[in-house]
Amino acid sequence: ALSRILNFTVNVNKLNPMRAACHIEVPREIAAKRAVINVHTMDNACFAWSVVAALYPAEKYTERESSYPHYTTVLNLTGIEFPVTLRDIPKFERLNTVSINVYGIENKQVLPLRLTSDKKEKHVNVLYLQDPRNDGVGHFAWIKNLSRLVSSQLSRKKNKKLFCDRCLHYFGSSQKLQTHEVDCQKLNDCAIRLPSENDRWLEFGNHCNRERVPFVVYADLECVLRKTEPNKEDASSYEYQQHEVFSIGYYVRCSYDDTLSAYQFRRDKNCIAWFARQLNDLAHRVKDIISANVPMEALSK
C-alpha cells in the first residue's frame, strides 16, 4: 500500500498556436520589395503596432515606434491579451470596427492565413512572419502595398496590378476589381492557385481505379458528298460540297450483362430521325433497368 508521497509535480502547458511577439527581421526578398512596414518593437504588441501603422501612416521613419501614436491611446484592447493569436483577431475587429486579413509565407509564396468575413471601410492587411530560430514565435508586420508584395509571384509583367486581397487574382482596372469583389467576398475563403507554365496539364493515370459505367453507346454514321452551286455568280468563296447522311449504326454495350448488348443500323434518308428515336427508347429502358431493385447476392461466410 502507498505509505507516503515523496514528490508531486504538475506541469500545465497552454497551447496558443501562432503566437506573435517581439521583433523579427523581414526576409531580404520581402524587404527588397518595400511593400511591408515592420515596426521595431521589443514588446509583445507587434500586432497592435502593425494596425496603428496602417491606420495612422507615417511619412518618414516608418519603422520607429515614435512615429506613431501609442496603440493604447487609439485602439480598444479590452479583453485582448498579448501576444495576439489568430483566434483573438475576430474580437479585435469587433472592438475597433476594423477588418484584418493575415498572410503568411510558404515556400517563398505569400498566401492568406486568415481572411475577414466582413470587410470594412477601415481594412488592414498584415504579414505573419515565423521566427527561423523558434517555431513557436512569430511576428506581425503591416502590408503597405499588397500588389507590390505578391505581383512577382503571379506574373512577370511590370505594369501595375490591382489585387483582390481574398483570392489574390489581379485586374487591370478598379472597376473590374470592384465587380469581382462582390462575389469573391461570398464565395472564396482562400487563395486560388492556378497551374504554372511547367505544370498546366491535368492527366489521369490511375486507370485501374476507373469505374465501369453500366451502359455505353458507340455510334457511327456514313455520308456522301453532294456538290453544290454558289448562290451568286461573283461569290469569291462558297460551299461546294455538302455532307448528306445515308446510313447510321450503333452498338449498345452493357458491362454486366451481354444479353442487354445489341447492334442496330439503318440505311435511308431518315436514319438520323430513326437514331434519335432509338436513343430516346434506350434511355427509358436503361432507366427502368437501373431503377429496379434486385436482391443482393449472398455474402460469403
Side-chain angles (χ1 to χ4, degrees):
L2 180 64
S3 60
R4 59 177 178 170
I5 298 175
L6 299 178
N7 185 26
F8 183 73
T9 303
V10 177
N11 292 324
V12 179
N13 298 316
K14 181 180 179 181
L15 176 62
N16 203 348
M18 297 191 67
R19 180 177 292 274
C22 300
H23 177 74
I24 298 175
E25 291 294 335
V26 177
R28 182 178 301 177
E29 60 272 13
I30 299 295
K33 298 178 181 180
R34 297 184 178 181
V36 176
I37 301 299
N38 187 20
V39 181
H40 289 181
T41 173
M42 295 310 297
D43 57 14
N44 292 333
C46 56
F47 175 81
W49 283 114
S50 299
V51 175
V52 171
L55 300 180
Y56 303 91
E59 296 182 359
K60 57 181 180 179
Y61 307 122
T62 56
E63 296 184 349
R64 297 182 183 178
E65 289 184 16
S66 58
S67 300
Y68 307 98
H70 198 273
Y71 61 86
T72 57
T73 63
V74 293
L75 297 178
N76 186 350
L77 301 173
T78 304
I80 302 295
E81 296 182 1
F82 292 106
V84 173
T85 66
L86 294 183
R87 292 180 297 181
D88 300 323
I89 294 180
K91 183 177 181 180
F92 178 87
E93 289 179 321
R94 293 191 299 269
L95 291 173
N96 295 276
T97 318
V98 63
S99 55
I100 308 288
N101 283 347
V102 182
Y103 301 82
I105 302 175
E106 179 182 344
N107 297 326
K108 297 184 178 181
Q109 298 283 312
V110 177
L111 298 172
L113 298 177
R114 187 264 179 190
L115 296 173
T116 182
S117 58
D118 182 18
K119 189 173 182 179
K120 301 184 181 301
E121 183 178 355
K122 292 192 297 182
H123 178 75
V124 180
N125 294 322
V126 297
L127 181 66
Y128 178 79
L129 302 170
Q130 196 76 35
D131 190 347
R133 300 163 298 181
N134 187 348
D135 293 337
V137 178
H139 177 70
F140 285 112
W142 171 43
I143 300 177
K144 181 180 180 180
N145 192 322
L146 182 64
S147 174
R148 190 183 300 170
L149 179 63
V150 302
S151 179
S152 60
Q153 75 184 37
L154 299 176
S155 174
R156 296 180 180 179
K157 296 181 180 180
K158 301 297 183 180
N159 57 313
K160 184 179 180 180
K161 308 176 187 66
L162 300 175
F163 279 85
C164 172
D165 54 14
R166 295 189 69 84
C167 63
L168 297 185
H169 281 186
Y170 61 88
F171 301 87
S173 66
S174 57
Q175 182 179 2
K176 292 182 179 179
L177 175 61
Q178 292 174 0
T179 303
H180 163 82
E181 286 180 334
V182 174
D183 293 328
C184 189
Q185 179 74 22
K186 302 175 183 178
L187 300 176
N188 293 328
D189 292 327
C190 60
I192 300 175
R193 291 184 179 180
L194 297 177
S196 62
E197 288 292 331
N198 299 326
D199 185 23
R200 57 181 177 175
W201 301 110
L202 182 63
E203 183 177 357
F204 178 75
N206 298 324
H207 299 284
C208 60
N209 296 333
R210 292 184 302 177
E211 182 178 358
R212 291 183 178 274
V213 293
F215 291 91
V216 181
V217 176
Y218 303 93
D220 185 30
L221 53 85
E222 299 295 335
C223 301
V224 294
L225 291 176
R226 181 176 60 84
K227 293 184 178 181
T228 60
E229 298 296 333
N231 295 330
K232 298 181 180 180
E233 295 182 357
D234 58 346
S236 59
S237 62
Y238 64 94
E239 298 178 357
Y240 66 94
Q241 287 180 333
Q242 180 178 349
H243 285 77
E244 290 186 351
V245 180
F246 72 89
S247 68
I248 190 168
Y250 72 94
Y251 175 64
V252 180
R253 168 63 179 167
C254 180
S255 61
Y256 64 89
D257 188 353
D258 285 338
T259 61
L260 298 177
S261 301
Y263 173 75
Q264 300 285 340
F265 76 96
R266 182 161 178 167
R267 183 180 297 167
D268 59 25
K269 293 183 179 180
N270 298 322
C271 59
I272 293 296
W274 168 83
F275 179 58
R277 292 193 299 270
Q278 290 287 308
L279 290 181
N280 184 64
D281 295 340
L282 176 63
H284 289 288
R285 294 200 307 271
V286 169
K287 180 181 179 181
D288 294 337
I289 294 172
I290 295 178
S291 301
N293 294 324
V294 296
M296 187 177 68
E297 296 182 1
L299 300 177
S300 59
K301 296 182 179 179

